[in-house]
Short mmCIF file of all heavy atoms in Angstrom, two decimals:
data_model
loop_
_atom_site.label_atom_id
_atom_site.label_comp_id
_atom_site.label_asym_id
_atom_site.label_seq_id
_atom_site.Cartn_x
_atom_site.Cartn_y
_atom_site.Cartn_z
N TYR Z 1 117.54 70.57 150.63
CA TYR Z 1 118.08 71.80 151.21
C TYR Z 1 119.26 71.51 152.12
O TYR Z 1 120.26 72.23 152.10
CB TYR Z 1 116.98 72.54 151.97
CG TYR Z 1 117.45 73.79 152.68
CD1 TYR Z 1 118.28 74.71 152.06
CD2 TYR Z 1 117.03 74.06 153.99
CE1 TYR Z 1 118.71 75.85 152.71
CE2 TYR Z 1 117.44 75.21 154.64
CZ TYR Z 1 118.29 76.10 154.00
OH TYR Z 1 118.71 77.23 154.65
N GLN Z 2 119.18 70.45 152.91
CA GLN Z 2 120.30 70.08 153.77
C GLN Z 2 121.53 69.75 152.95
O GLN Z 2 122.65 70.13 153.30
CB GLN Z 2 119.92 68.89 154.65
CG GLN Z 2 120.99 68.52 155.66
CD GLN Z 2 121.33 69.65 156.62
OE1 GLN Z 2 120.44 70.23 157.24
NE2 GLN Z 2 122.61 69.98 156.73
N SER Z 3 121.32 69.07 151.82
CA SER Z 3 122.43 68.77 150.93
C SER Z 3 123.05 70.04 150.37
O SER Z 3 124.28 70.15 150.26
CB SER Z 3 121.96 67.86 149.79
OG SER Z 3 123.01 67.52 148.94
N MET Z 4 122.20 71.01 150.03
CA MET Z 4 122.72 72.29 149.54
C MET Z 4 123.56 72.99 150.60
O MET Z 4 124.63 73.54 150.30
CB MET Z 4 121.56 73.19 149.10
CG MET Z 4 120.90 72.75 147.83
SD MET Z 4 119.56 73.89 147.36
CE MET Z 4 119.09 73.20 145.77
N LYS Z 5 123.08 72.99 151.83
CA LYS Z 5 123.86 73.62 152.90
C LYS Z 5 125.20 72.92 153.08
O LYS Z 5 126.22 73.57 153.31
CB LYS Z 5 123.06 73.60 154.20
CG LYS Z 5 121.85 74.52 154.19
CD LYS Z 5 121.30 74.78 155.59
CE LYS Z 5 120.71 73.54 156.20
NZ LYS Z 5 120.10 73.83 157.53
N ASN Z 6 125.19 71.60 152.96
CA ASN Z 6 126.44 70.84 153.14
C ASN Z 6 127.45 71.16 152.04
O ASN Z 6 128.63 71.38 152.32
CB ASN Z 6 126.14 69.34 153.15
CG ASN Z 6 125.38 68.90 154.39
OD1 ASN Z 6 125.37 69.60 155.40
ND2 ASN Z 6 124.75 67.74 154.32
N ILE Z 7 127.00 71.20 150.79
CA ILE Z 7 127.96 71.45 149.71
C ILE Z 7 128.44 72.91 149.73
O ILE Z 7 129.57 73.20 149.34
CB ILE Z 7 127.41 71.07 148.33
CG1 ILE Z 7 126.19 71.91 147.95
CG2 ILE Z 7 127.08 69.58 148.27
CD1 ILE Z 7 125.75 71.71 146.51
N TYR Z 8 127.58 73.82 150.22
CA TYR Z 8 128.01 75.20 150.34
C TYR Z 8 129.15 75.31 151.35
O TYR Z 8 130.16 75.99 151.10
CB TYR Z 8 126.83 76.08 150.76
CG TYR Z 8 127.20 77.54 150.97
CD1 TYR Z 8 127.59 78.33 149.89
CD2 TYR Z 8 127.17 78.11 152.24
CE1 TYR Z 8 127.93 79.65 150.07
CE2 TYR Z 8 127.51 79.44 152.43
CZ TYR Z 8 127.88 80.21 151.35
OH TYR Z 8 128.23 81.52 151.53
N LYS Z 9 129.01 74.63 152.47
CA LYS Z 9 130.08 74.63 153.48
C LYS Z 9 131.36 74.03 152.95
O LYS Z 9 132.46 74.39 153.37
CB LYS Z 9 129.62 73.86 154.72
CG LYS Z 9 128.55 74.57 155.53
CD LYS Z 9 128.12 73.73 156.72
CE LYS Z 9 127.02 74.39 157.52
NZ LYS Z 9 126.56 73.54 158.65
N ASN Z 10 131.22 73.11 152.00
CA ASN Z 10 132.39 72.42 151.46
C ASN Z 10 132.96 73.06 150.21
O ASN Z 10 133.81 72.47 149.54
CB ASN Z 10 132.04 70.95 151.18
CG ASN Z 10 131.83 70.16 152.45
OD1 ASN Z 10 132.48 70.41 153.47
ND2 ASN Z 10 130.91 69.19 152.42
N GLY Z 11 132.47 74.26 149.87
CA GLY Z 11 133.12 75.01 148.80
C GLY Z 11 132.34 75.18 147.52
O GLY Z 11 132.82 75.85 146.60
N CYS Z 12 131.15 74.62 147.42
CA CYS Z 12 130.34 74.83 146.23
C CYS Z 12 129.94 76.30 146.14
O CYS Z 12 129.57 76.91 147.15
CB CYS Z 12 129.10 73.94 146.26
SG CYS Z 12 128.03 74.11 144.80
N ILE Z 13 130.00 76.87 144.96
CA ILE Z 13 129.61 78.26 144.74
C ILE Z 13 128.12 78.31 144.46
O ILE Z 13 127.60 77.53 143.65
CB ILE Z 13 130.41 78.86 143.56
CG1 ILE Z 13 131.90 78.87 143.89
CG2 ILE Z 13 129.91 80.28 143.25
CD1 ILE Z 13 132.78 79.20 142.70
N PHE Z 14 127.42 79.23 145.12
CA PHE Z 14 126.00 79.42 144.87
C PHE Z 14 125.78 80.77 144.17
O PHE Z 14 126.37 81.78 144.56
CB PHE Z 14 125.19 79.35 146.16
CG PHE Z 14 124.84 77.94 146.55
CD1 PHE Z 14 125.82 77.07 147.03
CD2 PHE Z 14 123.55 77.46 146.41
CE1 PHE Z 14 125.52 75.77 147.38
CE2 PHE Z 14 123.24 76.15 146.75
CZ PHE Z 14 124.21 75.30 147.23
N VAL Z 15 124.95 80.72 143.15
CA VAL Z 15 124.65 81.89 142.34
C VAL Z 15 123.14 82.06 142.29
O VAL Z 15 122.41 81.07 142.17
CB VAL Z 15 125.21 81.75 140.91
CG1 VAL Z 15 124.97 83.03 140.10
CG2 VAL Z 15 126.69 81.38 140.92
N GLY Z 16 122.67 83.30 142.37
CA GLY Z 16 121.24 83.55 142.24
C GLY Z 16 120.99 84.82 141.48
O GLY Z 16 121.71 85.81 141.65
N THR Z 17 119.99 84.81 140.60
CA THR Z 17 119.61 86.01 139.88
C THR Z 17 118.15 86.34 140.18
O THR Z 17 117.31 85.44 140.32
CB THR Z 17 119.82 85.85 138.35
OG1 THR Z 17 119.53 87.09 137.70
CG2 THR Z 17 118.96 84.75 137.77
N SER Z 18 117.84 87.63 140.33
CA SER Z 18 116.48 88.09 140.59
C SER Z 18 115.94 87.44 141.87
O SER Z 18 116.52 87.62 142.94
CB SER Z 18 115.60 87.82 139.37
OG SER Z 18 114.35 88.45 139.48
N ALA Z 19 114.86 86.66 141.78
CA ALA Z 19 114.35 85.98 142.98
C ALA Z 19 115.42 85.09 143.60
O ALA Z 19 115.50 84.94 144.81
CB ALA Z 19 113.12 85.14 142.62
N GLY Z 20 116.26 84.50 142.75
CA GLY Z 20 117.35 83.67 143.24
C GLY Z 20 118.41 84.46 143.99
O GLY Z 20 119.19 83.89 144.75
N ALA Z 21 118.42 85.79 143.80
CA ALA Z 21 119.31 86.66 144.57
C ALA Z 21 118.74 86.95 145.94
O ALA Z 21 119.42 86.82 146.97
CB ALA Z 21 119.56 87.96 143.80
N SER Z 22 117.46 87.33 145.98
CA SER Z 22 116.83 87.68 147.25
C SER Z 22 116.88 86.53 148.25
O SER Z 22 117.03 86.74 149.45
CB SER Z 22 115.37 88.08 147.02
OG SER Z 22 115.29 89.32 146.36
N VAL Z 23 116.77 85.31 147.76
CA VAL Z 23 116.66 84.15 148.64
C VAL Z 23 117.98 83.77 149.29
O VAL Z 23 118.00 82.96 150.22
CB VAL Z 23 116.07 82.96 147.83
CG1 VAL Z 23 117.16 82.26 147.02
CG2 VAL Z 23 115.34 81.98 148.73
N MET Z 24 119.09 84.35 148.84
CA MET Z 24 120.40 83.97 149.37
C MET Z 24 120.59 84.40 150.83
O MET Z 24 121.36 83.81 151.57
CB MET Z 24 121.53 84.55 148.53
CG MET Z 24 121.63 83.96 147.15
SD MET Z 24 122.10 82.22 147.21
CE MET Z 24 121.76 81.72 145.53
N SER Z 25 119.89 85.44 151.25
CA SER Z 25 120.10 85.97 152.60
C SER Z 25 119.27 85.23 153.63
O SER Z 25 118.38 84.45 153.30
CB SER Z 25 119.77 87.47 152.62
OG SER Z 25 118.44 87.67 152.21
N HIS Z 26 119.58 85.50 154.89
CA HIS Z 26 118.86 84.86 155.99
C HIS Z 26 117.42 85.35 156.07
O HIS Z 26 116.49 84.60 156.39
CB HIS Z 26 119.58 85.14 157.31
CG HIS Z 26 119.01 84.40 158.48
ND1 HIS Z 26 118.06 84.96 159.32
CD2 HIS Z 26 119.23 83.15 158.94
CE1 HIS Z 26 117.73 84.08 160.24
NE2 HIS Z 26 118.42 82.98 160.05
N THR Z 27 117.22 86.64 155.78
CA THR Z 27 115.89 87.22 155.71
C THR Z 27 115.73 87.86 154.34
O THR Z 27 116.62 88.57 153.87
CB THR Z 27 115.68 88.29 156.79
OG1 THR Z 27 115.90 87.71 158.08
CG2 THR Z 27 114.28 88.87 156.74
N MET Z 28 114.59 87.62 153.69
CA MET Z 28 114.41 88.12 152.32
C MET Z 28 113.13 88.95 152.21
O MET Z 28 112.16 88.74 152.94
CB MET Z 28 114.36 86.96 151.32
CG MET Z 28 113.19 86.02 151.50
SD MET Z 28 113.20 84.68 150.27
CE MET Z 28 111.67 83.83 150.72
N ILE Z 29 113.16 89.88 151.26
CA ILE Z 29 111.97 90.66 150.94
C ILE Z 29 111.11 89.83 150.00
O ILE Z 29 111.59 89.25 149.02
CB ILE Z 29 112.35 91.99 150.26
CG1 ILE Z 29 113.11 92.89 151.24
CG2 ILE Z 29 111.12 92.70 149.73
CD1 ILE Z 29 113.68 94.15 150.60
N ILE Z 30 109.81 89.77 150.30
CA ILE Z 30 108.91 89.05 149.40
C ILE Z 30 107.86 89.97 148.78
O ILE Z 30 107.29 89.65 147.74
CB ILE Z 30 108.21 87.86 150.10
CG1 ILE Z 30 107.43 88.33 151.34
CG2 ILE Z 30 109.21 86.79 150.46
CD1 ILE Z 30 106.56 87.24 151.94
N GLU Z 31 107.62 91.13 149.39
CA GLU Z 31 106.64 92.05 148.82
C GLU Z 31 106.81 93.43 149.42
O GLU Z 31 107.10 93.57 150.61
CB GLU Z 31 105.21 91.55 149.08
CG GLU Z 31 104.13 92.37 148.40
CD GLU Z 31 102.74 91.81 148.68
OE1 GLU Z 31 102.62 90.63 149.05
OE2 GLU Z 31 101.76 92.59 148.54
N GLY Z 32 106.66 94.45 148.59
CA GLY Z 32 106.73 95.82 149.05
C GLY Z 32 106.43 96.74 147.88
O GLY Z 32 106.48 96.34 146.72
N TYR Z 33 106.13 98.00 148.19
CA TYR Z 33 105.78 98.95 147.14
C TYR Z 33 107.00 99.31 146.31
O TYR Z 33 108.05 99.68 146.83
CB TYR Z 33 105.19 100.22 147.74
CG TYR Z 33 103.87 100.03 148.45
CD1 TYR Z 33 103.51 100.87 149.50
CD2 TYR Z 33 102.99 99.03 148.07
CE1 TYR Z 33 102.29 100.72 150.15
CE2 TYR Z 33 101.77 98.87 148.72
CZ TYR Z 33 101.43 99.70 149.76
OH TYR Z 33 100.24 99.55 150.41
N ASP Z 34 106.86 99.23 144.98
CA ASP Z 34 107.89 99.71 144.06
C ASP Z 34 107.63 101.17 143.73
O ASP Z 34 106.49 101.62 143.65
CB ASP Z 34 107.87 98.92 142.75
CG ASP Z 34 108.39 97.50 142.91
OD1 ASP Z 34 108.92 97.17 143.98
OD2 ASP Z 34 108.25 96.71 141.95
#
């Protein structure tokens, strides 16, 4: 994870879909009524 943070700061693009999208933020939703 530290390596990921380092490469992100250095210009690596991060992509996330579905669960991989929610996890991109500082706080994420993990459960709630649909």
Side-chain angles (χ1 to χ4, degrees):
Y1 176 45
Q2 185 59 52
S3 181
M4 288 181 175
K5 290 196 293 183
N6 291 341
I7 64 171
Y8 178 67
K9 289 178 182 177
N10 290 326
C12 180
I13 298 169
F14 275 72
V15 184
T17 184
S18 190
S22 290
V23 82
M24 292 294 167
S25 58
H26 186 265
T27 302
M28 64 180 182
I29 294 173
I30 57 171
E31 186 179 340
Y33 295 152
D34 288 351

